[in-house]
Amino acid sequence: MDAAGKPGYRQLLRTPGAWSFVLPGFAARQPFAMLTIGIVLLIQHTSGSYGIAGAVSATAGVSMAVFAPQGGKLADRFGQAAVLVPGVLTHAASVTLLTVLALGGAPLWALFVAAVPAGASVPQVGPMVRARWAALLGDGAGAAGGARASLQTTAAAFESVTDEFTFVIGPVLTTALCTGVHPAAGLLAEATLSLIGGLLFAAQRHTQPAPSRPRTPARTARWGARRTSSGAGGAETAGAGAAGAGAAGASGPRRAGSGAHRPAASALGVPGVRVLAVVFLGIGSVFGGLQVSLTAFTEEIGQPGINGVLYGVFAAGNMVAGIVCGALSWRRSPQQRLLIAYPLLTLATSALWAVHAVPLLGALGLLVGLCIAPALITGYTLVDALVPATARTEAFTWLTGAVALGQAGAATAAGQLADGFGPSAGFVVPLAGTGLALTTLVLLRGRLATPSTDPVVSGSTRGVGHREAVTVD
């Protein structure tokens, strides 16, 4: 807590071990925003077609959305370093291969084939950083544990701002390299940053969450007995220890009448994660729809140079809202906050299609950006409460992949609408995407119920998988 007794960024970054993964994590996540635009600029240079360049780039994006959760699941099971090291090596090799094929005039099918592993192997450093924050801030018990857990919203906000800053820096750096040095320079820089940043991040093993390899029944019983014994200072009898093993052998006490938080074979088996994935698909539709529609709009009015300015205003709104959200101490539950933030986001996108003046479009873009960050941050905060620690990296990658998938689909749809009916039609895509997601959120909001809203007895305010069981007479 800061001097005022509220969670803040200063206290967050004072968490022991934080800087060891924050700095390399920032460098390692830059390629996430560099890959697709680097592919577009290189393939357009070699083929002369934006259509082909966009198709190859979309192939990489969809591949990333499909395979990223599997990498997250493996990271939860075997440890982040065990997955990240071979992953970044594969990614660097795949991007290099795609670059060589493009420069060598390879047939179109070869470019599509090479784009699949290039996208599938994108290092999911952002979700891994979030999982490390969850592990660090969820550690401890009693008042200390509650104080650290209260920083989880601040950590989610910090990561949202970092992601948005990445999407401001990455495309600018890639464009500058491709236009000022060589068309392939952007992708080569992306591969280099992935390799160096990823290896540095993987080397910080002391802050990574403990892997969760499957336990045999005997190992589970021994682990549960040890946990119960340590939780009560070793005073339990052998019978109490055996009972504790049965209760804690999964991932903490189960809530009566709900299976939403029981350990599952996949994080997607948690109903709340499926709802959040749809919510994040809608958020991705905003990113993809705006990128294409703003480009078409500025070209139609003969001012293509202000496209970056308009999108920068949108990104700035997202960053500012993220900073504010992390600095506040919230009284409402994450579920309630999401049910407030998401309708506001949908409402903000509803007027984009009707705007034809640059200043007004910039103002609306700023408003949309201000509404995105609270929804993103709250969604990631809910993961901490909905998903056991042993599956959080996978859960975060499902949400990241949902954004990427929504972005790819929205970019394609907005492009088709803009070509057929004009730029204004493309702005309908963010409204449609968030509207459908909002409908799903309202109908299935009960699946986002967190432990704080349920009758459970625990020794701290931490999420599922971190709470100590207590004896109830």
Side-chain angles (χ1 to χ4, degrees), residues 97-344:
L97 175 62
L98 177 59
T99 303
V100 171
L101 290 174
L103 293 177
L108 183 58
W109 65 265
L111 300 180
F112 280 108
V113 170
V116 172
S121 59
V122 171
Q124 298 299 313
V125 176
M128 290 183 179
V129 172
R130 286 182 166 91
R132 294 194 184 209
W133 280 123
L136 287 179
L137 299 178
D139 194 18
R148 301 179 80 180
S150 67
L151 288 170
Q152 289 178 351
T153 298
T154 305
F158 180 80
E159 289 305 306
S160 179
V161 173
T162 303
D163 283 340
E164 198 57 40
F165 190 59
T166 295
F167 277 95
V168 172
I169 297 295
V172 172
L173 175 61
T174 304
T175 303
L177 290 172
C178 290
T179 58
V181 180
H182 188 276
L187 278 183
L188 293 178
E190 189 270 353
T192 303
L193 279 174
S194 294
L195 184 62
I196 297 177
L199 292 178
L200 288 175
F201 181 81
Q204 311 305 315
R205 295 174 181 264
H206 63 288
T207 57
Q208 71 173 357
S212 57
R213 292 182 176 87
R215 294 184 176 90
T216 63
R219 287 183 61 201
T220 302
R222 289 196 301 270
W223 173 79
R226 287 197 303 269
R227 183 183 181 191
T228 305
S229 176
S230 62
E236 290 86 0
T237 64
S251 61
R254 295 179 179 178
R255 300 182 296 114
S258 174
H261 305 296
R262 294 173 185 170
S266 168
L268 204 60
V270 179
V273 173
R274 296 197 293 270
V275 176
L276 289 175
V278 175
V279 168
F280 276 55
L281 276 170
I283 293 175
S285 73
V286 177
F287 287 111
L290 280 183
Q291 285 177 350
V292 173
S293 300
L294 286 176
T295 301
F297 173 78
T298 54
E299 288 182 353
E300 183 183 65
I301 64 175
Q303 301 181 58
I306 65 173
N307 177 40
V309 176
L310 289 175
Y311 196 80
V313 170
F314 161 72
N318 197 348
M319 292 179 63
V320 170
I323 292 172
V324 172
C325 284
L328 295 176
S329 179
W330 297 97
R331 295 182 181 272
R332 295 182 180 272
S333 69
Q335 181 194 27
Q336 292 175 324
R337 299 203 303 268
L338 187 60
L339 288 170
I340 294 173
Y342 215 84
L344 292 176

Side-chain angles (χ1 to χ4, degrees), residues 76 131 134-135 209-210 212 250-254 259-271 273 382-396 451 463-467:
D76 283 326
S212 57
S251 61
R254 295 179 179 178
H261 305 296
R262 294 173 185 170
S266 168
L268 204 60
V270 179
V273 173
L382 277 166
V383 170
D384 290 332
L386 291 170
V387 182
T390 54
R392 285 202 185 123
T393 304
E394 182 197 353
F396 287 132
V464 173
H466 292 289
R467 292 173 294 171

Side-chain angles (χ1 to χ4, degrees), residues 86-100 114 117-118 121 191 195:
V88 295
L89 293 173
T90 301
H91 183 70
S94 300
V95 171
T96 301
L97 175 62
L98 177 59
T99 303
V100 171
S121 59
L195 184 62

